[in-house]
Amino acid sequence: MDNDANKLGYEPVVRDKREVEDEVGSLSSRVLEMLRVKGQVTEPGPMTNFCETGGDDTPRYRVVAHPWSLYGVDNNALGKGMDRLADQLPKKGWKVVRQGPDSSKNRNLEIVAVHVTTHTHLEVTWMKGQDGHEPLISVDVTSRCFRDDHTPND
């Protein structure tokens, strides 16, 4: 493994960025389905960026991230959605690696999981709005770093 792969803990494989964007978008949609909360969802869809490896200044790898939020409903509905998500993730191919309060002052409920097949990372945080903001569930679905040899650097 080269130095970047050592830092990442795996060797990034060659993949087409559109394929990874579709995969992350699909997994993200399934997370929304598992929540089963009828609220408003932010846009846009999955985005490709450079993967930070902490190595030299020449980005060699890409990562696809799909951050979004679910809002416009009360904490009761959001709490039930988080319970459903925690129950459904292992049944849908995700390994939950952390579940419970996050390290913030508000101690927001957080679920962190990894998709067993794709190694896609999921971070879901229920922000109850105790700080005066609207309650919401924040979701971040992120692929592993990969090499996209078919697309020139942006």
Side-chain angles (χ1 to χ4, degrees):
M1 280 199 295
D2 67 16
N3 198 29
D4 285 339
N6 284 332
K7 290 176 185 168
L8 292 169
Y10 59 91
E11 182 70 44
V13 297
V14 175
R15 297 191 65 194
D16 180 81
K17 82 172 188 173
R18 285 179 278 308
E19 174 187 309
V20 181
E21 287 171 349
D22 289 347
E23 179 178 274
V24 168
S26 175
L27 289 169
S28 188
S29 293
R30 285 187 241 152
V31 169
L32 180 60
E33 290 167 6
M34 285 184 264
L35 284 165
R36 287 192 357 238
V37 175
K38 299 291 184 203
Q40 295 176 295
V41 179
T42 58
E43 299 290 333
M47 301 168 285
T48 302
N49 265 315
F50 292 114
C51 181
E52 299 294 325
T53 61
D56 61 30
D57 291 335
T58 309
R60 296 172 42 198
Y61 306 119
R62 305 251 185 180
V63 64
V64 173
H66 187 197
W68 53 274
S69 296
L70 173 64
Y71 63 99
V73 294
D74 63 21
N75 272 321
N76 185 43
L78 295 175
K80 288 178 181 177
M82 287 293 280
D83 289 344
R84 281 189 292 271
L85 184 63
D87 177 64
Q88 289 296 306
L89 282 170
K91 298 173 185 175
K92 303 290 185 179
W94 293 86
K95 179 181 179 191
V96 176
V97 295
R98 187 169 68 240
Q99 181 178 353
D102 68 9
S103 60
S104 73
K105 182 178 79 171
N106 292 331
R107 309 289 289 156
N108 298 310
L109 182 60
E110 177 181 61
I111 299 172
V112 177
V114 176
H115 192 262
V116 176
T117 305
T118 65
H119 303 285
T120 300
H121 180 84
L122 172 66
E123 192 168 320
V124 183
T125 307
W126 172 23
M127 299 177 194
K128 297 180 184 179
Q130 296 169 333
D131 55 2
H133 292 91
E134 180 177 8
L136 60 85
I137 292 177
S138 170
V139 178
D140 196 359
V141 183
T142 308
S143 74
R144 270 189 154 187
C145 294
F146 63 96
R147 285 195 349 245
D148 183 2
D149 292 342
H150 311 305
T151 304
N153 288 345
D154 292 335

Short mmCIF file of all heavy atoms in Angstrom, two decimals, residues 22-32 34 66 68 92 94 115 118-120 122 141:
data_model
loop_
_atom_site.label_atom_id
_atom_site.label_comp_id
_atom_site.label_asym_id
_atom_site.label_seq_id
_atom_site.Cartn_x
_atom_site.Cartn_y
_atom_site.Cartn_z
N ASP A 22 -24.53 7.34 -8.00
CA ASP A 22 -25.78 6.59 -8.04
C ASP A 22 -25.91 5.69 -6.81
O ASP A 22 -26.99 5.59 -6.21
CB ASP A 22 -25.89 5.74 -9.31
CG ASP A 22 -26.10 6.57 -10.56
OD1 ASP A 22 -26.43 7.78 -10.44
OD2 ASP A 22 -25.94 6.02 -11.67
N GLU A 23 -24.82 5.03 -6.44
CA GLU A 23 -24.82 4.13 -5.30
C GLU A 23 -25.12 4.89 -4.00
O GLU A 23 -25.98 4.49 -3.20
CB GLU A 23 -23.46 3.44 -5.20
CG GLU A 23 -23.28 2.49 -4.05
CD GLU A 23 -21.91 1.87 -4.12
OE1 GLU A 23 -21.75 0.85 -4.82
OE2 GLU A 23 -20.98 2.41 -3.48
N VAL A 24 -24.43 6.01 -3.80
CA VAL A 24 -24.64 6.82 -2.59
C VAL A 24 -26.06 7.39 -2.58
O VAL A 24 -26.74 7.38 -1.55
CB VAL A 24 -23.57 7.93 -2.49
CG1 VAL A 24 -23.94 8.96 -1.42
CG2 VAL A 24 -22.21 7.33 -2.18
N GLY A 25 -26.53 7.85 -3.73
CA GLY A 25 -27.90 8.37 -3.82
C GLY A 25 -28.93 7.31 -3.49
O GLY A 25 -29.92 7.58 -2.79
N SER A 26 -28.72 6.10 -3.96
CA SER A 26 -29.64 5.01 -3.69
C SER A 26 -29.65 4.65 -2.20
O SER A 26 -30.71 4.48 -1.59
CB SER A 26 -29.25 3.79 -4.53
OG SER A 26 -30.06 2.69 -4.20
N LEU A 27 -28.46 4.53 -1.60
CA LEU A 27 -28.39 4.23 -0.17
C LEU A 27 -29.03 5.34 0.65
O LEU A 27 -29.72 5.08 1.63
CB LEU A 27 -26.93 4.02 0.25
CG LEU A 27 -26.28 2.73 -0.26
CD1 LEU A 27 -24.78 2.76 0.00
CD2 LEU A 27 -26.92 1.51 0.39
N SER A 28 -28.81 6.58 0.24
CA SER A 28 -29.38 7.72 0.93
C SER A 28 -30.91 7.68 0.87
O SER A 28 -31.59 7.93 1.87
CB SER A 28 -28.84 9.01 0.31
OG SER A 28 -29.21 10.13 1.05
N SER A 29 -31.45 7.35 -0.29
CA SER A 29 -32.91 7.23 -0.44
C SER A 29 -33.47 6.14 0.46
O SER A 29 -34.56 6.30 1.04
CB SER A 29 -33.27 6.93 -1.89
OG SER A 29 -32.96 8.02 -2.72
N ARG A 30 -32.74 5.05 0.60
CA ARG A 30 -33.20 3.97 1.46
C ARG A 30 -33.20 4.39 2.93
O ARG A 30 -34.05 3.95 3.70
CB ARG A 30 -32.37 2.71 1.25
CG ARG A 30 -32.76 2.03 -0.07
CD ARG A 30 -32.09 0.71 -0.23
NE ARG A 30 -31.29 0.81 -1.45
CZ ARG A 30 -30.18 0.14 -1.70
NH1 ARG A 30 -29.71 -0.71 -0.82
NH2 ARG A 30 -29.53 0.31 -2.82
N VAL A 31 -32.25 5.24 3.32
CA VAL A 31 -32.24 5.77 4.69
C VAL A 31 -33.52 6.57 4.93
O VAL A 31 -34.19 6.41 5.96
CB VAL A 31 -30.97 6.61 4.96
CG1 VAL A 31 -31.09 7.37 6.28
CG2 VAL A 31 -29.73 5.72 4.97
N LEU A 32 -33.88 7.42 3.98
CA LEU A 32 -35.10 8.21 4.10
C LEU A 32 -36.32 7.30 4.21
O LEU A 32 -37.22 7.53 5.03
CB LEU A 32 -35.24 9.17 2.92
CG LEU A 32 -36.48 10.07 2.91
CD1 LEU A 32 -36.53 10.96 4.15
CD2 LEU A 32 -36.51 10.91 1.64
N MET A 34 -36.39 4.26 5.41
CA MET A 34 -36.37 3.61 6.72
C MET A 34 -36.87 4.54 7.83
O MET A 34 -37.49 4.10 8.79
CB MET A 34 -34.96 3.11 7.07
CG MET A 34 -34.54 1.87 6.31
SD MET A 34 -32.92 1.28 6.86
CE MET A 34 -31.84 2.01 5.64
N HIS A 66 -23.45 12.79 0.28
CA HIS A 66 -24.82 13.26 0.13
C HIS A 66 -25.33 13.71 1.50
O HIS A 66 -25.93 12.92 2.24
CB HIS A 66 -25.71 12.17 -0.45
CG HIS A 66 -27.08 12.66 -0.77
ND1 HIS A 66 -28.15 11.83 -0.98
CD2 HIS A 66 -27.59 13.92 -0.93
CE1 HIS A 66 -29.23 12.54 -1.24
NE2 HIS A 66 -28.91 13.81 -1.20
N TRP A 68 -27.97 15.78 3.75
CA TRP A 68 -29.32 16.32 3.65
C TRP A 68 -29.95 16.35 5.04
O TRP A 68 -29.42 15.76 5.98
CB TRP A 68 -30.19 15.52 2.67
CG TRP A 68 -30.25 14.04 2.89
CD1 TRP A 68 -29.37 13.11 2.41
CD2 TRP A 68 -31.23 13.30 3.64
NE1 TRP A 68 -29.74 11.85 2.81
CE2 TRP A 68 -30.88 11.94 3.56
CE3 TRP A 68 -32.36 13.66 4.35
CZ2 TRP A 68 -31.63 10.94 4.18
CZ3 TRP A 68 -33.11 12.67 4.97
CH2 TRP A 68 -32.74 11.33 4.86
N LYS A 92 -30.96 -4.06 6.87
CA LYS A 92 -30.78 -3.58 5.49
C LYS A 92 -29.31 -3.50 5.09
O LYS A 92 -28.94 -2.77 4.18
CB LYS A 92 -31.42 -2.19 5.32
CG LYS A 92 -32.89 -2.15 5.68
CD LYS A 92 -33.74 -2.90 4.68
CE LYS A 92 -35.21 -2.71 5.02
NZ LYS A 92 -36.08 -3.38 4.09
N TRP A 94 -26.53 -2.65 7.06
CA TRP A 94 -25.68 -1.67 7.72
C TRP A 94 -25.21 -2.22 9.06
O TRP A 94 -25.99 -2.85 9.78
CB TRP A 94 -26.44 -0.37 7.97
CG TRP A 94 -26.82 0.38 6.74
CD1 TRP A 94 -27.94 0.19 5.99
CD2 TRP A 94 -26.10 1.44 6.12
NE1 TRP A 94 -27.96 1.08 4.94
CE2 TRP A 94 -26.85 1.86 5.00
CE3 TRP A 94 -24.89 2.08 6.41
CZ2 TRP A 94 -26.42 2.89 4.17
CZ3 TRP A 94 -24.47 3.11 5.58
CH2 TRP A 94 -25.23 3.50 4.47
N HIS A 115 -22.14 0.65 5.72
CA HIS A 115 -22.79 -0.34 4.87
C HIS A 115 -21.81 -1.49 4.63
O HIS A 115 -20.68 -1.27 4.17
CB HIS A 115 -23.23 0.29 3.54
CG HIS A 115 -24.15 -0.58 2.77
ND1 HIS A 115 -23.71 -1.38 1.74
CD2 HIS A 115 -25.48 -0.80 2.89
CE1 HIS A 115 -24.75 -2.05 1.26
NE2 HIS A 115 -25.83 -1.71 1.93
N THR A 118 -20.73 -1.98 0.65
CA THR A 118 -20.06 -0.88 -0.06
C THR A 118 -19.08 -0.09 0.80
O THR A 118 -18.33 0.73 0.27
CB THR A 118 -21.11 0.12 -0.59
OG1 THR A 118 -21.76 0.74 0.53
CG2 THR A 118 -22.13 -0.56 -1.49
N HIS A 119 -19.12 -0.30 2.10
CA HIS A 119 -18.30 0.45 3.07
C HIS A 119 -18.67 1.94 3.11
O HIS A 119 -17.89 2.76 3.55
CB HIS A 119 -16.80 0.29 2.80
CG HIS A 119 -16.37 -1.14 2.81
ND1 HIS A 119 -16.24 -1.86 3.97
CD2 HIS A 119 -16.07 -1.99 1.80
CE1 HIS A 119 -15.86 -3.10 3.66
NE2 HIS A 119 -15.75 -3.20 2.36
N THR A 120 -19.87 2.26 2.64
CA THR A 120 -20.37 3.63 2.69
C THR A 120 -20.63 3.99 4.15
O THR A 120 -21.13 3.18 4.93
CB THR A 120 -21.66 3.75 1.87
OG1 THR A 120 -21.36 3.40 0.51
CG2 THR A 120 -22.23 5.16 1.91
N LEU A 122 -22.39 6.27 7.13
CA LEU A 122 -23.64 6.97 7.42
C LEU A 122 -23.55 7.62 8.78
O LEU A 122 -23.17 6.97 9.76
CB LEU A 122 -24.81 5.99 7.40
CG LEU A 122 -26.17 6.51 7.87
CD1 LEU A 122 -26.71 7.58 6.91
CD2 LEU A 122 -27.16 5.36 8.01
N VAL A 141 -24.37 10.77 4.08
CA VAL A 141 -24.00 9.49 3.49
C VAL A 141 -22.76 9.74 2.64
O VAL A 141 -22.79 10.58 1.73
CB VAL A 141 -25.15 8.92 2.62
CG1 VAL A 141 -24.78 7.54 2.07
CG2 VAL A 141 -26.45 8.87 3.41
#
